[in-house]
Structures are given as structure tokens and as C-alpha cells.
Amino acid sequence: MSIPTYVDRSSNASISDALTDLALDMRWSFNHAADRLWEQLDPELWELTHNPWVVLQTASQEKLQSVTANPDFEELLTQLREEKTQDEKSNGWFQKAHPNSGVSTIAYFSMEFMLSQALPIYSGGLGNVAGDQLKAASNLCVPVIGVSLLYQQGYFRQEIDLQGNQQALYPFNDPGQLPIRPVRKPNGEWLRLVLPLPGFELWIRAWQVQVGRATLYLLDTNVPANPPEYRAITTELYGGGPELRLRQELVLGIGGWRLLRALGLQPEVCHLNEGHAAFALLERAGSYMKDSGQTFDVALAVTRAGNLFTTHTPVEAGFDRFTPGMMERYLKKYAEEKLSISFERLLALGRQNPQDSSESFNMAYLAIRGSYAINGVSKLHGQVSRRIFQGLFPRWPEEEVPVTHVTNGVHMPTWDSAEADRVWTLACGKTRWRGALANMCHDVSAVCDFDLWQLRAESRRILVHYVRRLYTRQSAARGAPKEDLARAAQILDANVLTLGFARRFATYKRPNLLLHDPARLLNILTNREHPVQLVLAGKAHPQDVEGQDMIKQWIEFAQRPEARSRVVFLADYDMLMAEHLVQGVDVWVNTPRRPWEASGTSGMKVLVNGGLNLSELDGWWAEAYSPEVGWAIGDGREHGDDPSWDSTEAESLYALLENEVVPEFYSRDERGISRRWVDRMRASMARLTPSFSANRAVRQYTDDCYISTAAAFRRRAEKRGSLGADLVAWEADLAKYWPSIRFGSATVQQTDGQSLFQVQVFLGDMNSDAISVELYANTENDAGPVIEKMSRDERDGEETGFTYTAFVPATRPAGDFTPRIVPQHEAALVPLEAPFILWHDAPSWR
């Protein structure tokens, strides 16, 4: 369409160019002022889509001429453009905090990104984390570039029929209606990549998404030159079978790294958001081989130092695996011709036991063996992940399995309401999420009771209005009778305590725990003096019959005459709906089975809006909870899928609602304010919102991971990878000579409150500088293990063995300590890069 040209007096730029520039920069997805701009063009379409690019392309010339002639519209447009220009030119937190980091590009790979409902290429939590961290990176000016896939259908859309059954729909994502641009070469040609697949060379094209100062690149195989089955590789997120998944991950990992190279980018850091993109680590090593002339092993040792793997999976069975036969079909030629290694060597990178020819290839194992740092997404998930991956580090204590944690956070400017934004802006300033959040806790604590209580009341009113409109529309679409439509238009009450529960319906999330005793739940909801209402939403995977049955149970409960005005299940849970729910509910309920939540982010989104959490002590809530900020169920231990424990926790949930949550909400002072509720809101907002923000998470990744991995990569890459070659030689010597080392005698003496430990070690042909001898004592009273490095007596020799000595305070019995031998190299991470370990079998300290 032709957008009329209108000259802006201040900048001599056309309105058409300005609107297009703003519509194709997804900074609008976290800017409430931008909402007002697009709403003026088409209020109804904006409400339904929140897609400026669709709104702009749909508007008539007459409408555009009308709104652009409005001085208020012109002023707002000028303001947004000036903010965008200022943001693009200014130095941000990253440049100020790390002025000499030398980091130019951080490549962030993820199977999905949740940026907006206008770009539906996401399913849930994984995409939420990726999208929110990309936005926070933009706010903080951290040089992150995202890489993902452009799905023709994305994740399925949900419809609930009149019988309460979930129906899966797959609408087409028209690229022309998405806020994306083709990636073109300087001569205007569409950038095209080629990826060899069995019997065919796959063509891949790329799209660009602007997210403020950050960029997301999307790979797309829906190219007319490809055969239909290959065009369909990027059809659907998390659909199809293992072969489709393998093809998608080849495109994401290998194709994604090739795209970065084609764009002339040389990322110092490669961050894998889950193991789907782990093939990028092979391609990065292959690229370094080409640049340096080094072997694959050296290239991997060098490039590994710049790779970071974040795992989100709380169960070992959740990782992608591919059979040896499928791997051979797709990667044998790649291993031999691109990487110059045997196919067996490649398979070994993805196996726990490289000698087991029947073991499938595990993408998480490849990610670990190709990375310099590994982290879980909450403190508890870090512990769970160490247990999951302990098999890769045999005989190493679980607490030393090299997995740390960076707890997830959410992008607060995306999830806050306009009303919450006004409260935070008055308290903390407009640019509060662009820095280190130094005074945020203090500043928001000063917000008065009245303003906080009004925030909740107005947010709840807006939510009720939204639910009524949406539920009426959904009911009409599925053919509900007129009387049901009339009830839908009056559902819920803006003055009633509102609970929210929305997430994927899966058995481990226990979405029906609240339904454990339907009669008791009804009594809570329909109490005449202190009523409660419940808004639910969520999808079950199309192949998850149990999950779909749980949805149907809620639909049937909500259709009971006594529950109809107090319970509503909204179909087709997406990002736009999530925004409305987290902004409007008073309490967010979450009931997963510990420890299967990993992190969870839905409850974090209510924090900025003054909502409170009532949740299982799992994921992020296990480290966030205190009695002043919300409520918790669970005892902090694991109980599996024990039905009796489900009953116990359902009882706890009901009791908390009946005895604490509901009475506290309705206990009002002379101004009609619940002082205890407001105190809890203030504590939650001040203490938790900064700590569980994507701002904190991205700064933590930068400070703790990106800077150090980039420095390690640069160091290993110097002199054509000479340090990498040294590490490979060291690892080869360890593998060759480790079987020959052994312990001899072990003695201990007590003197002046110290224990003098001495052990005899025979190293055979092993270089004594390649190993370290240590004393180890298990964790005691949650203080962590004691690890004391022992010093070698230089007078000894191999014939008599080396004597290693250590002085340790005699505060623990000598029998608590066990000598061990571990690899040692000043540039290596042990046990990540060298999982060897030898324990003294049973030291009888003499």
C-alpha cells in the first residue's frame, strides 16, 4: 500500500518512513507511549493484534491523513522517534560497566523467542526467557544478537468447543504481516545460505527483527526452490517427530553460525539457551579450523572457551536425543569432510559412554562438552542439574559437577501495566530499567498505601473488563446460546479478590490441584462476605491426552451454575492474554511438583504489578519466598508423584486461602484499605521485582559469564590457537598416563591444633605438573566441602614415590578426609575439560 508522505517540520523526515521505522522496531512492545500511537490508527485492530505493522498496513490513506494532521499524534510520533534516536546513540550500562571488555558480539541461540504476540514463534517458558533477555540486553546496551527459526505456523492455537474439548489450530504466519525484514546483501540480493542434507542442498533464507538496540535473526526454509518436505522444516515449533527436530536443530545450529559468518560477525561468546542449538558449537569449531589451519580437537579447545550453555530441563529424559542411524545419515559426511574427524568421534561428544555403539546422541551432552560454562535457571535447578549430569563426571562429588545457576528474570517493562508503570516512574524514574537498580528497593518502598491499593483496584477493574469482552467473543465463536453470552458479558466482579492460574497443562504442573476437593473450592469462591474469583488459561500439547482431560475438568467445573460467575477459563493462552492476567490478578497460583519447575517465570511477572504469589516451593519461588512477600505450599523436599502428597498439599492450599489470603484481603481500615495486604505488596515489589528481573539476569550473565568467557576465548585463540594445542596435548597425556598413577602410604600427625597429612603418590610417566593432589572432606552443616591442595616434596622421585603434604586445622576427625588426584592446568576448567579423578580407596591414617 502507499502511505501518504507528510513532512515533519523538525526533522524533514516523512511520516511514512517514521511510522514504518517504529512499526518494525519491537521496542514498541515495551513502551506504553507507543501503544497510544498505534491505538489512534485503528483501536479495534490494535486491541486484537497488538501488531503495529498490521495496523499500519491496514490503515487507509484517509485515516493516515486524518491522524497525522492531529498535532497530538505528531507530537507523540516526534517524541518516540527522538527517544529511539537517543537510545541508539547513547552509551549504556554495558559500556560504562565494562569499557575495556573487548566484547563486540554475543550470539544467543534459542529454539524460540517470545517478543510479542505479533511475532508468534514461541511456545512458553524457554521463549519467554529468550525474548525477555534480548529486550533487557537492548535496555542495557549489551551487544547480544539472537538467532532462531521463523516458523510458518509456530506453536498451535487453541480452541475450546462446547463440550470442553481442546482443538488445535495452526494458522499460517504470513511474513508480510510480521514485524520482520528480509536480510539482504549490500547489492540488494536476499541473503541465502546452503546446508547440505542427505541427497539435497537445502536453501535457507534469513529475516531480521529489530528489538531496540538488539537484533534477532530468523532462519527460514520455506523457500520455493526447496522440495516440499524441506520447505516444511520450519513449519511448526515442537511438532513432528525426531527427524524433523533433527533437521530443525541442524538449521538452527549449523545454519545459524553460518549466517553470522555471512554477515561478517565474529562473536566472542556463543550462548545456547538449551541444547537445541548445540550443533552451532561444531560449526564454530569448523570455522576456526578453516581460519587457523588447526585440527578439530584444537579448534574445539579454543572455541569452547567462548561458549555458554544454559539448561532449562529438570528431568534427564527431557533432552533431545537422536539415534546413531539418524545421526549417521545427516552428520557422517559433515564430520568427515567439514570437521576432518571420524563419525565415531562426533558421536562420542554426545554420549555418556563413548564406547556404547547403541547409545543415542544427546544434545545436552554435546552442549556440555563444547562449552566453558554451564548453568541452570534457579538455585534449586542448579542442584538438580548437577545430579542429572553427574554421569558425565564419574566419581566426582555431585556438588563439584560443573553446573552453576543464574536464576531467570522477566523483562519488567514488557509485563507492567500502564498503571503500574506510572507508579514505578514516580518512585524510581523513567530510565529505571537501564542501569544497575541501585536504589530501586528503597525508592519503591516509599510508595504510599493509597497509591498501592488504587493500583490493585484499577488493575483488577481493567482485567475484569478485558475478560468479559474476550470471553463473550470466544463464547460466540463456539456457538454458545444467547443466555450464555449475556452471562459472559457480566462475568466476574471488579471488587472481588482475583486469583490467576495460567500455564501449560501438564501433569507435573498439577494444574488441577485446586480441584482436588471441588466442594471446598466452591465454598471458598462463593463465600457471600468474602468471595473469590478465579481466571484460568493454558494449553495442553496436542499429544498430551492427560493434559487435555485436565482442561476439560476445569471447563466442566466452571460451567456449574454456582461457579459460573466466579470461574472463567479463557482459551488460546498467548502473550497478549498473559500480559492482561499478570497485570490484573491479585494472587498468582502455581502448583508444580518439586523440583520439576526448573525456574518458572509466570509468577515473576505479577511482581511489578503489585500482584502476590501463592506457590509451591520450587524453582524461583524456593529462593524468593519469605512470609512477608507471599505464601508457600510444600516442605522443600521432593515427593515424586505420590497421590497422598498431592492430597496433603491441596489441603495446605485450601487452608492458606481460607485462613490467610482471603481474610487478609478483606480486612480493611477506615479508608477501605487492607494495610497488611499493602504491606505485603510493598515488600514483594521492593525486594523481589529487581531481583527477579531480566535486567538483573542479563547483568549477571554479563559480569559472571560473558566477560570471562570472551577473555578466555581470546586468550586461547592467540597465536593461531597455541594454548588450545597445549591443552589438547595435556588432555592426551592425561588419557594415556592416568591408568598408571596410584597411591601409596598415608599418614597423619597432630601438632599444635593442626593435622599434618602426608600421602605417597606414584605417577609413572605422568608429568607431575599435570596433576594436583588434594585432601577432600564432605559437606558438613551446609558449609560446603573442604578441599585442601597438598604440596609436593621436591626431594622425592618416582622410584620412592612423591610425598604430598597438607596442614589442616584439627577441627574435624582425620577420617573425614580422603586424598585424591585431579588434573591440573592453569588454563583449563576441571572437571569440565578433564573429568579424570583418582581417590585413595581407604586411607588408614597412621
Side-chain angles (χ1 to χ4, degrees), residues 107-409:
Y108 188 106
F109 285 75
S110 182
M111 198 75 165
E112 52 172 306
F113 278 81
M114 179 192 287
L115 294 168
S116 163
Q117 58 280 1
L119 188 59
I121 56 170
Y122 60 85
S123 166
L126 187 71
N128 187 170
V129 169
D132 279 16
Q133 288 184 7
L134 192 65
K135 291 175 183 178
S138 171
N139 292 150
L140 295 166
C141 302
V142 181
V144 174
I145 289 178
V147 182
S148 191
L149 303 180
L150 178 65
Y151 300 99
Q152 299 159 41
Q153 297 175 343
Y155 199 55
F156 80 97
R157 307 304 298 267
Q158 180 194 56
E159 184 179 89
I160 303 295
D161 64 23
L162 285 173
Q163 289 70 47
N165 298 307
Q166 172 182 283
Q167 305 297 328
L169 308 174
Y170 296 90
F172 175 66
N173 285 337
D174 178 4
Q177 301 291 301
L178 304 178
I180 61 178
R181 287 187 173 107
V183 177
R184 298 190 182 277
K185 297 179 180 179
N187 64 4
E189 178 186 350
W190 200 334
L191 180 63
R192 186 178 71 214
L193 305 168
V194 176
L195 180 64
L197 291 181
F200 184 79
E201 286 196 334
L202 177 72
W203 284 15
I204 306 170
R205 60 186 179 184
W207 303 82
Q208 176 178 322
V209 185
Q210 202 60 41
V211 188
R213 291 181 65 142
T215 302
L216 169 63
Y217 291 104
L218 302 175
L219 300 166
D220 174 19
T221 65
N222 188 23
V223 179
N226 288 331
E229 67 170 310
Y230 287 154
R231 293 184 68 173
I233 290 175
T234 52
T235 293
E236 183 184 346
L237 173 62
Y238 305 140
E243 188 164 13
L244 175 61
R245 180 67 66 87
L246 176 58
R247 289 174 173 177
Q248 288 181 337
E249 296 183 4
L250 289 168
V251 171
L252 176 61
I254 296 175
W257 193 263
R258 289 184 182 178
L259 171 64
L260 298 176
R261 296 270 292 188
L263 294 170
L265 298 171
Q266 301 277 354
E268 294 88 358
V269 178
C270 176
H271 187 168
L272 303 182
N273 190 42
E274 201 39 91
H276 307 116
F279 291 131
L281 309 187
L282 298 179
E283 184 65 18
R284 184 181 192 183
S287 298
Y288 187 82
M289 291 171 64
K290 182 178 179 181
D291 295 342
S292 67
Q294 291 284 11
T295 65
F296 172 77
D297 287 338
V298 173
L300 184 62
V302 170
T303 58
R304 173 197 288 136
N307 298 332
L308 165 65
F309 169 42
T310 296
T311 174
H312 295 252
T313 308
V315 289
E316 199 272 339
F319 299 115
D320 282 350
R321 291 176 172 80
F322 303 110
T323 64
M326 191 180 298
M327 288 289 294
E328 182 175 15
R329 184 179 175 213
Y330 283 90
L331 284 153
K332 185 174 189 295
K333 187 175 181 181
Y334 176 81
E336 294 172 349
E337 297 183 5
K338 172 73 176 181
L339 306 180
S340 300
I341 60 174
S342 69
F343 176 61
E344 289 70 25
R345 170 76 176 100
L346 187 149
L347 285 180
L349 292 170
R351 286 174 167 167
Q352 180 171 323
N353 179 5
Q355 281 71 49
D356 183 357
S357 61
S358 64
E359 184 180 343
S360 291
F361 187 90
N362 187 313
M363 293 295 285
Y365 293 172
L366 171 62
I368 288 174
R369 291 196 172 110
S371 294
Y372 191 76
I374 305 134
N375 71 275
V377 289
S378 69
K379 182 178 180 181
L380 177 59
H381 182 241
Q383 298 170 6
V384 171
S385 297
R386 286 189 285 277
R387 186 165 68 233
I388 290 174
F389 294 127
Q390 189 168 23
L392 296 181
F393 306 93
R395 303 200 74 190
W396 281 87
E398 182 179 303
E399 62 264 28
E400 290 187 88
V401 172
V403 180
T404 61
H405 77 276
V406 176
T407 302
N408 285 337

Side-chain angles (χ1 to χ4, degrees), residues 110 121 132 241 251 274 325 432 435 502-503 567 632 661 735 742 803 819 823 825:
S110 182
I121 56 170
D132 279 16
V251 171
E274 201 39 91
R432 59 192 175 276
R503 58 195 27 83
V567 183
V661 180
R742 62 185 178 87
T803 300
H825 191 291

Side-chain angles (χ1 to χ4, degrees), residues 570-728:
L570 299 176
D572 200 30
Y573 184 44
D574 65 2
M575 188 174 178
L576 179 57
M577 186 188 296
E579 288 178 20
H580 283 284
L581 296 185
V582 300
Q583 291 167 7
V585 300
D586 298 301
V587 178
W588 194 260
V589 180
N590 191 22
T591 54
R593 284 197 177 98
R594 179 183 168 113
W596 294 349
E597 181 78 332
S599 171
T601 54
S602 59
M604 298 177 187
K605 296 165 191 168
V606 305
L607 301 173
V608 71
N609 297 294
L612 301 173
N613 280 272
L614 193 175
S615 179
E616 175 75 31
L617 286 171
D618 193 12
W620 77 282
W621 193 238
E623 58 195 87
Y625 169 72
S626 66
E628 300 82 16
V629 298
W631 300 272
I633 59 172
D635 60 0
R637 293 184 291 179
E638 298 175 22
H639 297 271
D641 56 0
D642 180 3
S644 66
W645 184 250
D646 290 347
S647 298
T648 299
E649 292 207 322
E651 166 62 32
S652 175
L653 185 57
Y654 294 135
L656 279 172
L657 288 170
E658 293 164 340
N659 302 324
E660 296 187 33
V661 180
V662 177
E664 186 171 303
F665 179 81
Y666 286 106
S667 176
R668 310 290 172 84
D669 65 12
E670 64 280 359
R671 296 176 299 167
I673 297 174
S674 171
R675 295 288 299 278
R676 290 178 60 194
W677 193 275
V678 168
D679 287 346
R680 203 182 292 268
M681 284 177 60
R682 184 180 289 108
S684 173
M685 293 172 75
R687 298 184 200 175
L688 303 186
T689 308
S691 297
F692 295 95
S693 67
N695 169 294
R696 186 273 311 156
V698 169
R699 285 187 293 111
Q700 187 176 352
Y701 274 118
T702 302
D703 294 340
D704 297 350
C705 304
Y706 295 158
I707 299 301
S708 57
T709 54
F713 167 68
R714 287 194 298 269
R715 184 185 176 200
R716 292 191 184 190
E718 290 174 351
K719 301 177 183 178
R720 293 180 61 251
S722 61
L723 179 55
D726 181 63
L727 285 166
V728 169

Side-chain angles (χ1 to χ4, degrees), residues 28-33 35 50 132 135 410-425 429-430 432-433 440 455-456 459 462 575 578-584 604-611 685 689:
W28 53 256
S29 67
F30 48 93
N31 185 338
H32 292 292
D35 294 350
H50 270 232
D132 279 16
K135 291 175 183 178
V410 298
H411 187 247
M412 298 301 175
T414 292
W415 301 103
D416 67 0
S417 67
E419 295 71 31
D421 181 48
R422 282 192 286 271
V423 170
W424 284 87
T425 299
K430 189 174 182 179
R432 59 192 175 276
W433 297 111
M440 182 172 283
L455 168 62
R456 280 285 79 241
S459 299
I462 293 171
M575 188 174 178
E579 288 178 20
H580 283 284
L581 296 185
V582 300
Q583 291 167 7
M604 298 177 187
K605 296 165 191 168
V606 305
L607 301 173
V608 71
N609 297 294
M685 293 172 75
T689 308

